[in-house]
Amino acid sequence: MEGSVILIIVGVIAAFLALKFIKGVVKLAVLAAIVIAVIYFLSQGSL
């Protein structure tokens, strides 16, 4: 019984860390997309 409780706790912690990691990756992807868009518009001379 104790082993399964520890496994559940470890699973919850792993899921929480994965969620934080995914959020960080999404933030980086959005920032990169904005930077690429700005560079593209500047190189086109539209701004």
Side-chain angles (χ1 to χ4, degrees), residues 16-35:
F16 179 72
L17 289 174
L19 201 68
K20 287 190 70 161
F21 177 74
I22 290 167
K23 281 184 182 176
V25 169
V26 169
K27 280 184 192 171
L28 278 175
V30 170
L31 274 173
I34 292 169
V35 169

